[in-house]
Amino acid sequence: MIVQFGSCRIELVQGDITSQQVDAIVNAANSRLAGGGGVDGAIHRAAGPTLMEETRVKYPEGCPTGSAVATSAGRLAAKFVFHTVGPIWRGGVAGEADLLASAYHRCLELAVEHACRSIAFPAISTGVYGYPMDLAAERSLATVRKFLLEQQHPELVRFVLFDGGSFGAFARALEAMAE
Ligand code: APR
C-alpha cells in the first residue's frame, strides 16, 4: 500500500526489515544500545559484529528514550542504521505517545542530515515494549505524515510490518489518514 504526501510517499509492506533496499534502516533498540531480540537481534545478526563495535565506540552512553543515533550498516544493503529507543508501554499515562512520536521524528531528522532518500521503519515499541498496535500505528503514521508535508524529505518512508496483524493495523490507520 502506497500513499503520496506532496512529493513524498509512505509505503507499507509486510516482511523482514533486514532485507530492505533503502538508504537507512531503523532499529528498535534499548537505551543502553546493548542489543536484544526482536528486530534489534535480527538487524545485528544480519549486519554483523561491526554494528555493535561501532555503536559501543561512538555511543558509550547509549541513547535516551525518544531519541536516535546513527551508525553504518555493516553487511546490510542500507548505508546507515538509525538506532532509536521507543517508550515502554505503561498504560499510556507516562508520555508514551509523545516519546514514540519523538523517536520517529528524530530518525526522520537523521535521514535528512545524512541525505537519505529512503528509510525503512519497523513498528517501534510494539513488540517487547508492549505498545498497543492500533495506537502505535496511528501515532507513528501521523508523525511521519506531518514531517513529510513540512519537510518534503525523505522521498520514501517504508514501514516494514512483520506479520498480518501489524500490517492490517497500519493499513487501517493509513487509509483513515488518506481520506
Ligand atoms: N523485521 C520487521 N519487523 C520485525 C522484525 C523484523 N525482522 N522482527 C520483529 N519485528 C517487529 C515485531 O513484530 C514488532 O511489531 O518489530 C516490532 C517491534 O518489536 P521489538 O523488536 O520487540 O521492539 P520494541 O517493542 O521496540 O522493543 C525494544 O526489544 O529487542 C529488544 O533490544 C530491544 O530492548 C529492546 C526492545
Side-chain angles (χ1 to χ4, degrees):
M1 177 177 182
I2 299 177
V3 175
Q4 198 83 24
F5 294 105
S7 58
C8 306
R9 62 192 199 277
I10 295 180
E11 186 178 2
L12 307 184
V13 300
Q14 190 178 330
D16 179 354
I17 199 163
T18 62
S19 57
Q20 302 300 311
Q21 309 271 336
V22 285
D23 290 337
I25 283 178
V26 175
N27 182 19
N30 52 64
S31 56
R32 289 175 299 125
L33 301 177
V39 77
D40 198 0
I43 286 175
H44 277 282
R45 269 195 306 280
T50 57
L51 200 64
M52 188 55 83
E53 285 157 22
E54 187 182 339
T55 307
R56 283 210 185 102
V57 171
K58 273 192 176 162
Y59 310 107
E61 313 279 291
C63 174
T65 302
S67 191
V69 297
T71 64
S72 54
R75 294 194 296 252
L76 294 170
K79 295 179 192 152
F80 304 101
V81 174
F82 300 154
H83 306 261
T84 194
V85 185
I88 298 171
W89 182 256
R90 301 185 196 282
V93 293
E96 294 94 323
D98 288 345
L99 288 167
L100 186 67
S102 171
Y104 279 95
H105 193 268
R106 185 64 196 126
C107 289
L108 292 167
E109 284 180 343
L110 283 176
V112 172
E113 286 165 22
H114 290 77
C116 295
R117 296 170 67 180
S118 55
I119 182 169
F121 283 99
I124 298 165
S125 284
T126 62
V128 173
Y129 281 1
Y131 207 111
M133 191 61 78
D134 288 337
L135 297 181
E138 245 174 63
R139 189 62 194 232
S140 307
L141 287 163
T143 304
V144 172
R145 173 183 180 275
K146 184 166 184 287
F147 189 96
L148 294 183
L149 289 173
E150 285 172 4
Q151 306 289 328
Q152 296 295 305
H153 289 289
E155 284 167 32
L156 169 66
V157 177
R158 179 180 295 156
F159 283 86
V160 183
L161 292 325
F162 206 44
D163 55 25
S166 49
F167 182 86
F170 273 72
R172 283 191 297 278
L174 186 56
E175 256 163 31
M177 204 168 279
E179 277 164 7

